Amino acid sequence: MPLRTHLALLTAGLAAVTCLTAAGPAQATSHACSPSVAIDRFSDALDKTAYDDTFVGNLSALAVDRDGSLAALSDRSSLFRLDARTLGPRSVTPLADETGAALDSEGLVVDRDGTYLVTSETEPSVRRYSRTGEILDRLPVPDDLRVSPAGRGQPNGTFEGLTLLPGGRTLVASMEYALAGDPADTLRFQTWTRHGSHFRLAARYTYRTDPGLGVPEIQATPDGRLLVLERGFTAGVGNTVRLYLADPRHAMRKTLLTDLVTCPSLGATARQPQPNPLLDNIEGMTITGRTRNTLKVLLVSDDNQNAAQTTRFYFLRVRI
């Protein structure tokens, strides 16, 4: 299903969300993080909860599903469907590789036929799963992107972000960190193009991060550009999370939309040092709606199943 249909399905539901557990005010007109970004509210409603005997956390990716619900991917091989209004889990689907082993699942796309494209940074890989979790396909991956010693990828530093460009013909995966031998700030974004029911390897882009940061997520905008999250962590200081707009049509030239440290904290608290108590280990991002030139963007943090971290959802308005 085209992105614009996904957006329309969820806009009404998310617009009606009121204050959730540990959330900021439901109405916000001046919660500016920058001239381009405002935060309406946040929610810790799912923090340290369980559903169907599965821990609801370790969330690394978000996507709008065909019925307007949210798909939320855990890096511990669980795919949750969440109610768009309350964030409450509706179902959980276990994922695995061809041998039945767990994935380090990081990136997620709901394809137009309703199947799920999921990255794992173990190999790395991109697999297609059915609605019930069966493997349907596996996309080709260039040898140099594979984890060392098979390639030049760093362990725990390969495919993190995944998105479909408008029209649904081009799939993009972002590496979290640089390949061995590349400058530390130079990452690779790999693309595939759709041919029938399969994707074939296509162009590769180079993206330069800010010093010390990696890319945990990307999301295509309706005009073909990319929202890019850059993130880092410094012990005793906390997280750095910046949101950029990049254009693959212009050599991945990027524009800073906001550094989230500048957002109002909205009463948030942190269990570990943070430059802003609102911040945590933000990894997932999806576009949930739009009005004219403003996107509704939902972020989520990965708590790593750690008592010192929080599963937190962030509701942003982003002007592009």
Side-chain angles (χ1 to χ4, degrees):
M1 186 179 291
L3 176 62
R4 67 182 62 184
T5 306
H6 284 176
L7 302 182
L9 283 169
L10 196 58
T11 298
L14 287 180
V17 177
T18 56
C19 220
L20 299 174
T21 301
Q27 301 297 324
T29 57
S30 61
H31 293 165
C33 306
S34 71
S36 300
V37 177
I39 181 168
D40 286 336
R41 57 195 179 274
F42 70 91
S43 174
D44 296 348
L46 297 187
D47 185 48
K48 306 301 183 286
T49 62
Y51 174 82
D52 197 18
D53 296 324
T54 304
F55 180 77
V56 182
N58 305 297
L59 299 181
S60 294
L62 297 171
V64 179
D65 219 328
R66 293 191 306 169
D67 61 357
S69 64
L70 289 169
L73 181 68
S74 161
D75 62 18
R76 309 292 174 89
S77 293
S78 295
L79 180 60
F80 296 93
R81 288 180 62 242
L82 308 179
D83 184 276
R85 187 179 65 84
T86 67
L87 300 180
R90 291 179 176 177
S91 67
V92 59
T93 301
L95 304 177
D97 69 11
E98 291 79 359
T99 70
L103 308 173
D104 186 355
S105 39
E106 299 287 353
L108 173 67
V109 161
V110 180
D111 206 356
R112 58 194 185 187
D113 62 357
T115 58
Y116 300 107
L117 293 162
V118 175
T119 68
S120 173
E121 63 177 351
T122 305
E123 308 96 341
S125 63
V126 183
R127 294 179 177 86
R128 182 187 297 278
Y129 290 86
S130 72
R131 303 286 294 181
T132 52
E134 290 83 15
I135 297 174
L136 303 176
D137 195 11
R138 182 165 173 169
L139 278 60
V141 173
D143 288 342
D144 65 330
L145 300 187
R146 298 186 185 280
V147 172
S148 177
R152 296 196 290 130
Q154 299 184 43
N156 201 38
T158 59
F159 290 161
E160 280 269 341
L162 192 68
T163 192
L164 269 177
L165 295 184
R169 294 194 55 81
T170 302
L171 184 71
V172 186
S174 57
M175 300 287 278
E176 184 178 14
Y177 297 116
L179 296 175
D182 284 353
D185 64 351
T186 302
L187 310 189
R188 309 302 180 99
F189 285 19
Q190 178 65 48
T191 73
W192 295 258
T193 54
R194 192 188 301 272
H195 293 265
S197 60
H198 301 282
F199 283 95
R200 296 178 185 172
L201 285 169
R204 189 186 297 186
Y205 298 96
T206 297
Y207 178 87
R208 296 191 66 180
T209 64
D210 293 352
L213 302 185
V215 172
E217 187 62 285
I218 57 175
Q219 187 69 208
T221 65
D223 64 3
R225 291 180 288 178
L226 295 173
L227 294 177
V228 182
L229 272 179
E230 295 192 20
R231 178 202 59 190
F233 177 76
T234 302
V237 177
N239 288 98
T240 298
V241 184
R242 295 173 185 154
L243 181 62
Y244 281 93
L245 184 65
D247 195 338
R249 298 162 298 190
H250 294 91
M252 294 299 286
R253 185 172 61 220
K254 69 179 189 178
T255 301
L256 178 65
L257 297 174
T258 193
D259 187 325
L260 269 69
V261 74
T262 64
C263 293
S265 65
L266 303 182
T269 58
R271 300 184 179 117
Q272 61 181 335
Q274 290 287 358
N276 179 335
L278 187 71
L279 294 178
D280 210 287
N281 180 41
I282 297 174
E283 283 207 11
M285 172 172 61
T286 191
I287 297 171
T288 60
R290 68 177 299 189
T291 57
R292 294 189 181 183
N293 64 340
T294 300
L295 303 176
K296 294 185 177 182
V297 176
L298 184 64
L299 309 179
V300 69
S301 61
D302 175 359
D303 73 338
N304 292 306
Q305 211 160 339
N306 184 333
Q309 295 178 267
T310 302
T311 296
R312 178 170 289 164
F313 289 80
Y314 305 77
F315 297 79
L316 305 182
R317 285 175 287 119
V318 178
R319 186 166 56 85
I320 62 171

